[in-house]
Amino acid sequence: EPEVTQTPSHQVTQMGQEVILRCVPISNHLYFYWYRQILGQKVEFLVSFYNNEISEKSEIFDDQFSVERPDGSNFTLKIRSTKLEDSAMYFCARGSSGGPYTRTDTQYFGPGTRLTVL
Amino acid sequence: SQQGEEDPQALSIQEGENATMNCSYKTSINNLQWYRQNSGRGLVHLILIRSNEREKHSGRLRVTLDTSKKSSSLLITASRAADTASYFCATGVGKLTFGTGTRLTIIP
């Protein structure tokens, strides 16, 4: 199955700036996820998004983070005021094709956005 | 609680040999998945095994699951240079919890 695409591939920003990471999944899928991976560490779940609403979020996903699907296709992760520790790879994933309304266990990941906060 | 710890952390083998990686987890699961990550890239789904399955095959991959020991293993047979990557186990439905990963290097 095709992966999602993510833009940009690399984002460099100054501490305190807002960043928006974008994910373009196959249209009409309803289950999406954001994960992050700090260099050399585990992949960590951030948030899951179903039918345009957050369905689950981790402790990492605090008030500095938000997700939305502004135009019904792109799926964005916004970090309002970046910190040095936000530097990581951010991965978007979608549920597999059990049909767009079915949450299946397998997830398909995009190539990631490398965020560097200076 | 930590979920999904792989061992070894790193493994180097000659091309053509078999590679075995193990994963342990702490809580009960519905399924366990294995993903591959090439350096600096996204994760690629390899195989999913459900809690009522003991073994599953996909091409050169063989996964076992022992729910009594809360462990799984991934065997890659006849390894190739292109298999060089990090391999992660993951548990959960929806929210995936990943292990620490095994970095596999295939020496040509």
Side-chain angles (χ1 to χ4, degrees):
Chain A
E1 295 192 45
E3 298 173 347
V4 299
T5 59
Q6 290 184 243
T7 58
S9 57
H10 190 188
Q11 174 91 44
V12 180
T13 189
Q14 295 290 326
M15 190 170 57
Q17 295 295 305
E18 174 183 283
V19 295
I20 298 176
L21 311 181
R22 291 183 171 79
C23 171
V24 184
I26 294 172
S27 61
N28 81 0
H29 276 276
L30 298 180
Y31 286 100
F32 304 103
Y33 310 87
W34 281 101
Y35 294 82
R36 79 170 185 191
Q37 184 181 32
I38 295 171
L39 184 64
Q41 297 188 22
K42 290 186 183 187
V43 176
E44 301 173 291
F45 169 80
L46 290 177
V47 64
S48 58
F49 196 75
Y50 167 68
N51 200 22
N52 297 324
E53 290 185 358
I54 291 175
S55 56
E56 189 172 4
K57 59 183 181 180
S58 71
E59 292 176 351
I60 303 167
F61 195 87
D62 61 21
D63 292 344
Q64 291 299 312
F65 291 88
S66 62
V67 289
E68 61 179 14
R69 205 171 183 193
D71 56 8
S73 58
N74 292 326
F75 178 47
T76 63
L77 174 69
K78 182 191 292 185
I79 308 175
R80 291 191 181 84
S81 179
T82 51
K83 308 182 188 71
L84 295 176
E85 54 265 36
D86 293 327
S87 293
M89 284 288 288
Y90 288 81
F91 296 105
C92 171
R94 64 163 181 84
S96 64
S97 295
Y101 302 98
T102 302
R103 188 181 73 174
T104 55
D105 301 335
T106 300
Q107 294 178 21
Y108 293 89
F109 285 74
T113 293
R114 180 173 298 282
L115 176 65
T116 302
V117 182
L118 303 176
Chain B
S1 64
Q2 288 187 323
Q3 183 86 324
E5 301 292 331
E6 286 93 335
D7 79 88
Q9 288 186 329
L11 178 63
S12 292
I13 60 172
Q14 294 290 329
E15 192 169 22
E17 294 181 339
N18 296 341
T20 299
M21 289 158 274
N22 302 295
C23 166
S24 61
Y25 57 92
K26 294 189 183 302
T27 61
S28 62
I29 60 171
N30 293 313
N31 62 70
L32 185 143
Q33 305 182 58
W34 285 89
Y35 285 81
R36 184 187 75 220
Q37 183 182 36
N38 289 78
S39 180
R41 304 290 296 273
L43 294 111
V44 175
H45 178 258
L46 296 176
I47 195 165
L48 179 150
I49 186 167
R50 300 208 178 275
S51 58
N52 61 353
E53 297 175 307
R54 291 296 168 259
E55 187 171 311
K56 201 163 183 180
H57 296 254
S58 177
R60 294 184 295 112
L61 305 180
R62 173 178 168 251
V63 168
T64 63
L65 180 64
D66 187 335
T67 52
S68 66
K69 295 181 179 178
K70 292 187 168 59
S71 67
S72 173
S73 67
L74 171 67
L75 168 68
I76 303 174
T77 60
S79 62
R80 304 168 182 167
D83 295 329
T84 294
S86 291
Y87 292 82
F88 297 88
C89 65
T91 57
V93 177
K95 168 188 173 181
L96 293 182
T97 301
F98 285 84
T100 51
T102 292
R103 190 169 63 253
L104 175 65
T105 303
I106 307 300
I107 303 165

